[in-house]
């Protein structure tokens, strides 16, 4: 069942830069949930595609809900889930704001690194050509990801950032943003609080990766964009500032990056 944490502000300040509401975990309650989110502080959502099928679903949700935007792309775990040419066609939709999620994942599959790098490179090159930002997935592939970001220098965000403060510095140098999600509320977040401390005000985004990575204390529940309030609260604690300031800054950063 859907849970909404408290939201103490009048103005809707939550911009979720990364979610997957086309996921089958939302079947049956998707319409109810998406009609409720704006009542719980949510003003914007970028729904990310992982292959051509889910990229089409992301566009469809963006047509149905005014506060929704779509990213289209092929995720490294979904090689074979469509061609870059199909993604190119889908990207011309007026509510497509980014190419994603794209990147490298050596955690789930590591025997096709060259194929992953080729697919990632092609999509980076294409995003640069059409002047759109990218939403980058990097799991256990920090050095290869950084190498390609340095090579192509795209606009965009490294989502659910899991690297060290040193890597964050390198990512920031390329001009990219860093996405922070529910993991920051986990006890085992290790290096992430250090990263959150050093991020410049104008270079971080908030995200859910819903239905996954639900923040504490709702970890057993399905994630939704309203939960970003809890993520922002934790970030505000770490940075010694106010939660609404974190939400407002992240919202402005997202709008700047995605040209909304
Ligand atoms: Zn994702």
């Amino acid at each position: 069942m859907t849970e909404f944490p408290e939201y103490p502000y009048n103005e809707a300040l939550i911009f979720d830069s990364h979610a997957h509401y086309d996921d089958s975990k939302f079947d049956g309650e998707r319409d109810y949930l998406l009609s409720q989110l704006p009542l719980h502080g949510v003003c914007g959502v970028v729904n990310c595609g992982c292959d051509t099928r889910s990229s089409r679903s992301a566009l469809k949700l963006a047509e149905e809900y005014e506060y929704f935007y779509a990213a289209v792309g092929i995720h490294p775990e979904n090689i074979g889930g469509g061609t870059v040419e199909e993604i190119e066609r889908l990207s011309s939709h007026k509510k497509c704001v980014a190419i994603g999620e794209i990147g490298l994942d050596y955690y789930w599959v590591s025997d096709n690194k060259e194929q992953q790098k080729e697919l990632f490179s092609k999509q980076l090159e294409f995003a640069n050509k059409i002047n759109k930002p990218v939403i980058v997935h990097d799991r256990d592939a920090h050095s290869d990801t950084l190498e390609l970001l340095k090579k192509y220098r795209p606009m965009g965000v490294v989502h659910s950032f899991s690297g060290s403060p040193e890597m964050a510095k390198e990512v920031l140098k390329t001009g990219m943003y860093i996405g922070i999600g529910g993991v920051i509320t986990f006890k085992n977040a290790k290096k992430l609080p250090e990263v959150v401390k050093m991020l410049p005000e104008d270079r971080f985004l908030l995200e859910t990766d819903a239905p996954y990575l639900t923040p504490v204390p709702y970890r057993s529940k399905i994630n939704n964009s309203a939960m970003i309030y809890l993520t922002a609260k934790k970030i505000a604690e770490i940075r010694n500032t106010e939660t609404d300031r974190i939400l407002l800054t992240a919202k402005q950063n997202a709008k700047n990056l995605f040209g909304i």
Side-chain angles (χ1 to χ4, degrees):
M1 262 313 280
T2 303
E3 292 266 359
F4 300 111
E6 59 150 348
Y7 183 74
Y9 311 115
N10 292 325
E11 201 188 335
L13 297 173
I14 295 175
F15 193 106
D16 186 352
S17 63
H18 191 117
H20 300 278
Y21 285 107
D22 54 293
D23 193 285
S24 61
K25 285 200 173 66
F26 293 109
D27 287 356
E29 64 167 347
R30 185 176 295 106
D31 289 333
Y32 168 73
L33 175 61
L34 301 188
S35 68
Q36 290 299 300
L37 288 180
L39 307 174
H40 296 273
V42 180
C43 65
V45 170
V46 176
N47 202 84
C48 297
C50 293
D51 52 23
T52 48
R53 192 190 54 78
S54 65
S55 295
R56 275 194 201 97
S57 306
L59 291 170
K60 196 164 167 283
L61 288 172
E63 284 169 2
E64 284 170 38
Y65 296 92
E66 212 191 324
Y67 69 101
F68 258 64
Y69 300 88
V72 301
I74 304 171
H75 188 286
E77 280 175 69
N78 296 58
I79 291 185
T83 64
V84 177
E85 290 68 31
E86 285 172 298
I87 293 302
E88 290 187 25
R89 274 198 293 280
L90 295 174
S91 71
S92 64
H93 192 288
K94 68 176 191 313
K95 288 201 89 178
C96 170
V97 294
I99 301 303
E101 58 180 295
I102 61 176
L104 302 173
D105 192 318
Y106 298 166
Y107 178 82
W108 292 109
V109 233
S110 59
D111 58 354
N112 64 353
K113 290 185 181 176
E114 287 314 309
Q115 271 173 289
Q116 287 194 37
K117 283 197 260 183
E118 196 192 321
L119 178 64
F120 186 28
S121 302
K122 268 192 186 173
Q123 294 183 97
L124 286 170
E125 218 169 306
F126 167 65
N128 282 346
K129 194 176 88 185
I130 61 166
N131 209 22
K132 274 199 168 41
V134 291
I135 296 175
V136 173
H137 171 100
D138 157 27
R139 188 155 187 203
D140 290 357
H142 298 330
S143 71
D144 285 356
T145 301
L146 199 53
E147 195 184 308
L148 290 173
L149 293 181
K150 281 182 176 165
K151 181 175 171 193
Y152 290 98
R153 295 200 153 262
M155 298 186 285
V157 55
V158 176
H159 109 87
S160 195
F161 187 80
S162 59
S164 62
E166 292 70 35
M167 184 186 173
K169 272 183 208 146
E170 294 295 308
V171 168
L172 291 168
K173 265 193 228 162
T174 71
M176 293 194 63
Y177 290 72
I178 285 182
I180 305 290
V183 174
I184 191 64
T185 67
F186 299 178
K187 277 216 170 62
N188 61 359
K190 291 181 277 182
K191 303 164 284 186
L192 200 53
E194 291 308 311
V195 171
V196 161
K197 252 183 229 165
M198 53 79 76
L199 287 175
E201 279 247 299
D202 60 346
R203 297 288 284 287
F204 70 89
L205 304 183
L206 297 176
E207 62 167 78
T208 53
D209 210 11
Y212 308 105
L213 304 178
T214 314
V216 173
Y218 294 100
R219 278 198 74 175
S220 60
K221 307 280 181 186
I222 293 176
N223 204 357
N224 71 66
S225 306
M227 301 268 188
I228 282 187
Y229 174 70
L230 300 165
T231 302
K233 204 171 159 202
K234 182 72 189 180
I235 294 173
E237 262 169 53
I238 294 170
R239 288 172 71 96
N240 200 14
T241 182
E242 304 301 322
T243 305
D244 54 346
R245 179 168 168 174
I246 294 294
L247 289 170
L248 181 64
T249 307
K251 172 190 164 183
Q252 279 162 349
N253 292 344
K255 288 190 162 189
N256 289 342
L257 176 64
F258 296 119
I260 294 167

